[in-house]
Structures are given as C-alpha cells and as structure tokens.
Amino acid sequence: MNSTTPLAVGEHRHARFAEGLELDCGVTLAPVDVAYCTYGQLSERCDNAILLCHAFTGDQYVAEKHPLTGKPGWWERMVGPGKPIDTDRFFVICSNVLGGCMGSTGPRSVREDAQAHGQDPWGTDFPPITIRDMVRAQYKLVRSLGIDRLFAVVGGSMGGMQVLEWTVTYPHMMLAAMPIATAPFHSAQNIAFNEVGRQAIIADPDWHAGCYWREGVVPARGLAVARMMAHITYLSEEALTRKFGRRVRQGPAGAPRPEGPVSLFGDIFEVESYLRYQGSSFVRRFDANSYLSITRAMDWFDIAADHEGELTAAFAGTPVRFCVVSFSSDWLFPTSTSRALVRALNQAAANVSFVEIETDKGHDAFLLDEPDFDRTVRGFLCGVAEHAGLH
Amino acid sequence: MNSTTPLAVGEHRHARFAEGLELDCGVTLAPVDVAYCTYGQLSERCDNAILLCHAFTGDQYVAEKHPLTGKPGWWERMVGPGKPIDTDRFFVICSNVLGGCMGSTGPRSVREDAQAHGQDPWGTDFPPITIRDMVRAQYKLVRSLGIDRLFAVVGGSMGGMQVLEWTVTYPHMMLAAMPIATAPFHSAQNIAFNEVGRQAIIADPDWHAGCYWREGVVPARGLAVARMMAHITYLSEEALTRKFGRRVRQGPAGAPRPEGPVSLFGDIFEVESYLRYQGSSFVRRFDANSYLSITRAMDWFDIAADHEGELTAAFAGTPVRFCVVSFSSDWLFPTSTSRALVRALNQAAANVSFVEIETDKGHDAFLLDEPDFDRTVRGFLCGVAEHAGLH
C-alpha cells in the first residue's frame, strides 16, 4: 500500500511504500520513500506516461527551478509544452534514485529498521544498492500511479543504465526505451575514475568514517575534488579547449609566493577557477554517502554478467522499441560501446535504431543545446506514438 | 664554479653551482644543486653525450635499481650496453629536474637565502619554476662536464617538454632532439587534471599549509589520490580493459556493510586495488610540494606564447635534427598535437621526422615494451651519428 496523493501538473510528490523493497543484497528496506516530480497530464487510458531516469548527480527537478540551487531544471530544454518531450501530449515522471539525497530513501534517510539508533541516518550503514534496485523502486512508483505500461523510459548516462535495466527487468511494462550516452556495463576506466572520487572523499578530514552528520560537518573538500575530476570526464578535450584554452584570470589578492610575478603565480587558468566553482557548488547539493553508494551501484552494473555473460541473451525476444543515442566526442561512454550494444540488440532481433550525434561537447552533450539530438528525441517518440496509435 | 668530481661509469653525482641560477620569476636560487647519474664514457672529443630528460615523477635513476623503491630504473630496457641508447657508444646523462625531490634543488631543499629560517626547507616558499628553468639547470650541468655540444637530448612526456625547450633555448648546444609523447604546450584538459591533483593534496589534513615537514607528516592521502587520478590518464581505456576489465578480487576481512553479500561489497575490482597500490607506493618516494611546483611548471609551458604566439617562429632556422614520436592510444598527449608540432617544424624548414607508434598502451607506452619504438630510437640515433661522422 502507499500514500500517494492525487496527481496534479508539475507537482512534487512523495510516495512511501510501507511494505518496503527487497534489495539485491538481500536486505529489505522498509519503508522505502520515492520522491518525484511530474509534468503534464496522465491520459484517461494511462498510456502516455514517460519515465525519465536522471544521471548520477541529477534529481527529479527536470523542468523547474531547483529548490537548492535555484538553477533551471536539468532538462528544461527537452521537457515542456511543445518541446521534444512534449508535456501537452505526454505525462512525464522523474523520481530521485534510490540511494540519492533529494527525498528518496538513501544514506541520509533516518533508518527505521531493527538496528535503528534513535534518529540517526543510515550513513555508511546504508545497504549496498544496484541499478536494478533503483529500477525496482521506480517500478513501485509507476504502478502506484495506476500505470500498467509506460509509453517510454528515457535517460542519459547512469539514467541510460536504468533504461537498459528496465528493458531486461520489466520488458512488458514499456513500449519504448531511449538509452542515451550510456553502456550496458561500467568499464575499467569508469570504475577507476569512480574509485579516485571515493578515495578523495574518505581522505577528507571531515569524513569521520562516514558519520560527518554527527559532527555537523560535510567532507566538502574531498567531495569537491571528486566532482572536479568527474567533471573533466563529462567534457571533451575539444570542449575544454574551446571554452577555456590556456586563458588566465587575475588570481586572488595575496596569492602564494608573492615574489613570483603575477604571470606565474598570481593568476590561475580559467579552467582551474571553473573546476573549483564546479566543485564548491556541488557540495551544497549532494551527500557524500550518496556519492559512494551510487558510484558503487554504477561500477557493479553489468547486464551481460546478470545473463551468463551474454548481452544478446539479456534482450532475447524483447518487445521494446529501442533508440540508442551516443555522442561522437563522449570518451566516458564512447560510441564504440553503444555500437556493441546495438549489435547485441540486433542479434536479439530487437527493434532498434541507433544515432550518433556529431558534437565536440563530450558526454555532457545530452544536457546541452544539440538541435540534432532534440530532433532525434522528438522524432523517435512521435514514431512510437504513431505506431502505437497514441492520440 | 662548481664542485663536480671526475666522471666514472654509472656513478651518481651531485653538482653544486655556488653562483646559483636566475629563474624566470626573477628570483636567483643560490646555490643550486643538480643531482645526476651518468652511464657510459664521455669520448675524448666529448661528442657522444646524450642528455635524457625524465618525466614528471621520474628521476635520474635511469638504468639501475632505484635507491628508494628498489625497482629497476625507469628506462633500463632502453639504456645500456647494446641497447637502443647504447652506453658502449654514448655517454648518457640524466639529472633530477629543478624542483624535484631526488637531490636537485627543490621545495624540500634547505633554503640558504637571506630569508632563511634556520634549517627549514623551502616548502611552499620555493619560487615558481618553469620548464625553461629546469633546462637552464641542465645546461649548467652539461657545461660543467666539459661538454660544448650534446649529441642529442631525449625525453618523454614532461621530459619531451624539456627537449623542446632545449631546442629553442640552446639550439646550437645539440645535434639532435627526440621529443616523445609530448606537446609544445599544456592543454586545458591537462591543466584541469593537474589542478585536481593539487586540490587533492591541499585538501589533506596532513597538508598543514605546505609545512607538513614541520609536523613530521606527509599529506599521504591527498598525494595518493592525485597519483591515482594521474595514473588513469597515463593508460588507455583499452589497456585498462585488457589488464583488469571488470575482474574482482577478494576484499579485506571485515569489509564494510557486512550485511551485504561479498559479491557486492566485500570484493573490490582489480583496477581499484591496482590504483590504490599505485597511490600508496608513490607517496613513499615523492614530495607533495614538488608535486605542486612541477605541475605548475608543466601547466605554464607554452613555447608559442614565448614567441609571440608563433610556434613556427620559435623554431625558425633551427639547426637541430628532430624525431617526433607519438603513440596512437595516448590521449593525454595525443598524436594530433604531435602532428601540429611537426607541421610547425616543417614550416620552420627544420630537419624533422615523425613516427606514430601503433599501440594500445596509452601515454605510458614510452616506458613499456614497444619494439617498434625501440627500433625508432636506435635508428634515429644511428642515423644522426652517421651523418655527424661519430665514431
């Protein structure tokens, strides 16, 4: 049973599932909360719902001002009336992932299990979660909204991992899938970058073995370093060169080594100040324990491994219509991996189209202004709607 | 004047230049020490000397057991009797870079200037240095050894930056130059990675504003994180996949989250344990302040900027014979940048050959077993020797 309140347009909701959720690790999280936002109206036939899966550090605030940062939603250019994901036509749902820190059950949630200590949050005791666990929580939400089948599941990066997990775990719960700038497994290089981020966090003096909340602090420096490094991987070398090149900016007064000329040490490169800003702004909205839990879930993601190492077997006989999208300058989730995914889907006789968007913006291109990408999203959704006779 | 002792084969030397060295920043370091190793014999005509320039975290121990790690020298496969850089024929010199921590003057050296405080090391007060400053120190050493002209200057990565700086600062002091896996400037992405490493170091609780030596500690965790991240950039995604893939290894007993199955949190990926080892072993041999000083020198390296933005002008009329080498899977110093360097050299009417080695080993390939690369080094040196009538 759940206590979801009736739907409205552009509202923030919070669903609590008292029966909880059994995780891949064997632990049952009960109760489990799923925080989400919706846009548009669910049709009477409940056949126009699109589930958006957000990326690693994203959240449910897709097309509205973010409550913490005050910035626009992460996909405002894509989601709204008349936009590629048209909320005049579709009912859009996006929920904060399990393990996140924007309202869904995660390390920052107060634990209510047998081992609960007063009002302590889970912290590092939060059970290990997987991408499949995240998808199971989304499934509960979708069912609780009275939806028997989603029109589509769409997401980029870690959101794309969730899309792929949906297609193998609930293939009959969806008409279409759009995995964007993603992969069916996390590569050794991706795992390596995640591990460096985790090590930066636990090296922070304010980490306190994960119980920083008890000390009233956050491991801000380590979390910022992790974010700075990750941010580099979201951009291409071309994008960094185009945006910053080797331009320098006046450094703060009283820069180190005063005997050095300003040109050497008073100034810093613009790319440095940009990264420092990215790091410092990130710590105000993200939880360090969520960072560890979610990166772990990404690292362990491997659809083939869950099907005797056979990616094709995972998709055998799938009824889902796929549109796989990659970006030419994305080196974190390169086109070559998307092509391998498409080959496996073809071998599984799946209905799949593949689009590589030419861009120099790197992995983050799916969040940026890419008209070809907008057309691809709009075109795929319209095509599926036509085929499904959606009015 | 200097106090260099007579030369011997495979000996470790230490030159002290009492008159010191004026740096680009305007500060004069006096005295300045240069620690170096030599291999082979200097010919009577002093015409067979090859200067090797080491990479960022390398040192002068090229072809012998490292005094701190006990590991083989960083280029033992390349330097020795009968090897591509044949010490039966050539006299090989390699010195620890200025700003380093293996005997040459650097942040860990005791300052002897007017502002000296007892026996304190320079620490963060060490003046900002440039790649050109490093080369000037090498020049002093070479001259002190009685060498009027080097047969060749050879180096990879940051060593290659020094090679290029040699060709523009002392073009008549050398016959040949071999810049390997390098670039005439540091890219925005390279600067970004260096900045993350610096931030990781200064975020360490044991950093103590750079005066960790006063506390008897080192910022080991931050330095390890910096090294882990940098190490990823030295390898290609293909190499990481080939070496580790997604293989896991048994984690330590008492792994976190005991309620989670071993497969989820007891184990760690092999690539994680590999990186952790790289990080922890690095801190035993490298100084954090040197890390900051040298990465800064790399970031500021830009040969064109020192010549009104014209790379071709920097090499105009150069008498040096160049052999530029890149590696196909090197994404830190990509082949595209080496090609641009070669174009500039051609426009400057320089004598230049260019070789791209096909390999999946990434940037570190110049340190690894690459027979084609060995043949390239041997072939180029033999060709120059023949042309120069070297016996």
Side-chain angles (χ1 to χ4, degrees):
Chain A
M1 64 144 283
N2 76 81
S3 60
T4 318
T5 45
L7 294 177
V9 183
E11 288 222 8
H12 311 157
R13 297 276 168 225
H14 188 281
R16 163 158 292 199
F17 302 95
E19 73 278 15
L21 180 72
E22 184 180 355
L23 306 173
D24 276 332
C25 68
V27 176
T28 295
L29 273 179
V32 67
D33 296 330
V34 180
Y36 64 102
C37 292
T38 65
Y39 307 89
Q41 291 283 8
L42 183 60
S43 63
E44 286 186 3
R45 297 170 58 193
C46 299
D47 58 0
N48 69 332
I50 294 178
L51 176 69
L52 297 185
C53 304
H54 68 72
F56 171 25
T57 65
D59 51 44
Q60 66 270 39
Y61 300 100
V62 174
E64 65 206 272
K65 209 166 100 176
H66 193 280
L68 294 184
T69 67
K71 291 182 183 162
W74 58 270
W75 234 10
E76 289 213 353
R77 0 177 328 279
M78 190 65 79
V79 178
K83 294 186 176 175
I85 299 178
D86 189 346
T87 52
D88 288 337
R89 181 176 199 185
F90 297 108
F91 176 64
V92 175
I93 311 161
C94 184
S95 63
N96 183 216
V97 293
L98 188 72
C101 48
M102 289 302 289
S104 292
T105 299
R108 199 151 66 181
S109 308
V110 172
R111 62 190 296 179
E112 302 182 15
D113 64 333
Q115 289 82 40
H117 316 289
Q119 287 302 295
D120 285 357
W122 280 97
T124 50
D125 288 337
F126 189 69
I129 54 168
T130 64
I131 297 293
R132 193 193 286 119
D133 293 328
M134 296 177 183
V135 166
R136 289 193 184 109
Q138 291 163 346
Y139 174 83
K140 275 182 170 292
L141 172 65
V142 168
R143 296 310 296 260
S144 75
L145 298 176
I147 298 164
D148 296 328
R149 190 163 71 165
L150 289 162
F151 175 76
V153 184
V154 179
S157 198
M158 188 185 83
M161 293 178 172
Q162 295 161 58
V163 172
L164 291 173
E165 189 62 58
W166 262 93
T167 67
V168 295
T169 305
Y170 304 112
H172 299 289
M173 267 289 290
M174 57 200 291
L175 276 179
M178 197 164 203
I180 302 158
T182 192
F185 63 90
H186 225 209
S187 74
Q189 191 183 59
N190 294 356
I191 293 169
F193 278 120
N194 272 352
E195 172 63 6
V196 174
R198 287 186 291 260
Q199 291 296 325
I201 289 167
I202 67 178
D204 190 300
D206 290 330
W207 166 243
H208 296 292
C211 299
Y212 44 88
W213 41 271
R214 196 173 281 149
E215 314 290 329
V217 295
V218 294
R221 282 168 291 185
L223 194 56
V225 167
R227 176 61 169 184
M228 289 172 69
M229 183 202 60
H231 199 82
I232 300 172
T233 68
Y234 301 153
L235 304 173
S236 68
E237 187 195 353
E238 300 73 18
L240 281 165
T241 300
R242 177 168 41 74
K243 288 172 74 160
F244 308 106
R246 292 182 45 83
R247 288 191 304 279
V248 296
R249 60 168 50 190
Q250 203 71 31
R257 304 189 176 86
E259 74 274 15
V262 168
S263 69
L264 264 178
F265 280 92
D267 292 0
I268 62 171
F269 290 96
E270 284 189 4
V271 66
E272 294 177 283
S273 65
Y274 170 77
L275 284 178
R276 290 178 192 177
Y277 171 77
Q278 292 296 330
S280 59
S281 59
F282 179 64
V283 302
R284 285 193 291 274
R285 70 176 178 87
F286 212 80
D287 176 64
N289 278 316
S290 277
Y291 198 102
L292 268 59
S293 286
I294 297 175
T295 54
R296 268 311 203 180
M298 292 168 73
D299 289 352
W300 285 100
F301 181 67
D302 184 355
I303 283 187
D306 300 338
H307 295 78
E308 294 76 45
E310 265 306 316
L311 193 54
T312 300
F315 299 112
T318 180
V320 180
R321 300 172 73 88
F322 288 81
C323 179
V324 177
V325 180
S326 72
F327 298 93
S328 57
S329 55
D330 183 349
W331 56 278
L332 195 62
F333 291 95
T335 290
S336 56
T337 309
S338 290
R339 287 193 193 282
L341 168 63
V342 170
R343 273 195 299 277
L345 285 165
N346 283 327
Q347 283 162 17
N351 182 326
V352 55
S353 62
F354 170 59
V355 179
E356 178 186 28
I357 306 291
E358 278 298 325
T359 173
D360 77 348
K361 298 199 182 81
H363 181 63
D364 264 0
F366 77 96
L367 298 170
L368 306 173
D369 180 26
E370 286 291 344
D372 283 354
F373 177 48
D374 297 351
R375 279 187 287 275
T376 300
V377 173
R378 186 189 295 273
F380 176 66
L381 295 178
C382 288
V384 175
E386 199 169 310
H387 179 271
L390 186 71
H391 305 300
Chain B
M1 65 142 278
N2 75 81
S3 59
T4 319
T5 46
L7 293 177
V9 183
E11 286 226 8
H12 310 158
R13 296 277 170 227
H14 188 281
R16 163 160 291 199
F17 301 96
E19 73 279 16
L21 181 71
E22 184 180 356
L23 306 174
D24 277 332
C25 68
V27 176
T28 296
L29 273 181
V32 67
D33 296 330
V34 180
Y36 64 102
C37 292
T38 64
Y39 307 89
Q41 292 281 9
L42 183 59
S43 63
E44 287 184 1
R45 299 171 59 194
C46 298
D47 58 0
N48 68 332
I50 294 178
L51 176 68
L52 297 185
C53 303
H54 68 72
F56 172 25
T57 64
D59 51 44
Q60 65 271 41
Y61 300 99
V62 173
E64 64 205 272
K65 206 166 106 173
H66 193 280
L68 294 184
T69 67
K71 290 181 183 165
W74 58 270
W75 233 10
E76 289 215 351
R77 11 177 318 282
M78 190 66 79
V79 178
K83 295 187 176 176
I85 298 178
D86 188 349
T87 52
D88 289 337
R89 182 175 200 186
F90 297 109
F91 176 64
V92 174
I93 310 161
C94 184
S95 62
N96 184 217
V97 294
L98 189 72
C101 47
M102 288 301 288
S104 292
T105 298
R108 199 153 64 182
S109 306
V110 172
R111 62 190 297 178
E112 302 182 13
D113 65 333
Q115 289 80 41
H117 316 288
Q119 287 301 293
D120 284 357
W122 280 98
T124 50
D125 289 337
F126 190 69
I129 54 168
T130 64
I131 297 293
R132 194 195 283 116
D133 292 329
M134 295 177 184
V135 166
R136 289 196 184 106
Q138 291 163 345
Y139 174 83
K140 275 183 169 289
L141 172 65
V142 168
R143 296 310 296 259
S144 75
L145 298 177
I147 298 164
D148 298 326
R149 190 162 70 164
L150 289 161
F151 175 76
V153 184
V154 178
S157 199
M158 188 184 83
M161 293 178 173
Q162 297 161 58
V163 173
L164 291 172
E165 189 62 55
W166 262 93
T167 66
V168 295
T169 306
Y170 305 112
H172 299 287
M173 268 289 290
M174 57 202 290
L175 277 180
M178 197 163 201
I180 302 158
T182 191
F185 64 90
H186 224 210
S187 74
Q189 190 184 57
N190 293 357
I191 294 169
F193 277 122
N194 272 352
E195 171 64 6
V196 174
R198 289 186 291 259
Q199 291 296 324
I201 289 168
I202 66 178
D204 190 301
D206 290 330
W207 166 243
H208 296 293
C211 300
Y212 44 88
W213 41 271
R214 196 173 281 148
E215 315 290 330
V217 295
V218 294
R221 282 167 291 186
L223 195 54
V225 168
R227 176 61 167 182
M228 289 171 70
M229 184 201 60
H231 199 82
I232 299 172
T233 69
Y234 300 153
L235 304 174
S236 68
E237 187 196 355
E238 299 73 16
L240 281 166
T241 299
R242 179 168 40 75
K243 287 172 76 162
F244 309 105
R246 294 182 44 82
R247 287 191 304 279
V248 296
R249 62 168 51 190
Q250 202 71 31
R257 305 190 177 86
E259 75 275 15
V262 167
S263 68
L264 265 177
F265 279 92
D267 291 1
I268 64 172
F269 290 96
E270 283 188 5
V271 67
E272 294 177 282
S273 66
Y274 170 77
L275 285 177
R276 290 178 193 177
Y277 170 78
Q278 293 295 330
S280 58
S281 59
F282 180 64
V283 303
R284 285 193 290 274
R285 68 176 179 88
F286 213 80
D287 175 64
N289 278 316
S290 277
Y291 198 102
L292 268 59
S293 287
I294 297 176
T295 54
R296 268 310 205 180
M298 292 168 73
D299 289 353
W300 285 99
F301 181 67
D302 184 356
I303 282 186
D306 299 339
H307 295 77
E308 295 75 45
E310 265 306 317
L311 193 53
T312 300
F315 299 111
T318 180
V320 180
R321 301 173 72 89
F322 289 81
C323 180
V324 177
V325 180
S326 71
F327 297 92
S328 57
S329 54
D330 183 351
W331 56 277
L332 195 61
F333 291 95
T335 289
S336 56
T337 310
S338 290
R339 286 192 194 284
L341 168 63
V342 170
R343 274 195 299 276
L345 285 165
N346 283 327
Q347 283 161 17
N351 183 325
V352 54
S353 62
F354 170 58
V355 179
E356 178 186 30
I357 305 292
E358 279 297 325
T359 173
D360 77 348
K361 297 198 180 82
H363 180 63
D364 264 0
F366 76 97
L367 297 171
L368 305 174
D369 179 28
E370 285 290 344
D372 283 355
F373 177 48
D374 298 350
R375 279 188 288 275
T376 301
V377 173
R378 186 189 296 272
F380 176 67
L381 296 178
C382 288
V384 175
E386 198 168 311
H387 179 271
L390 185 72
H391 304 302

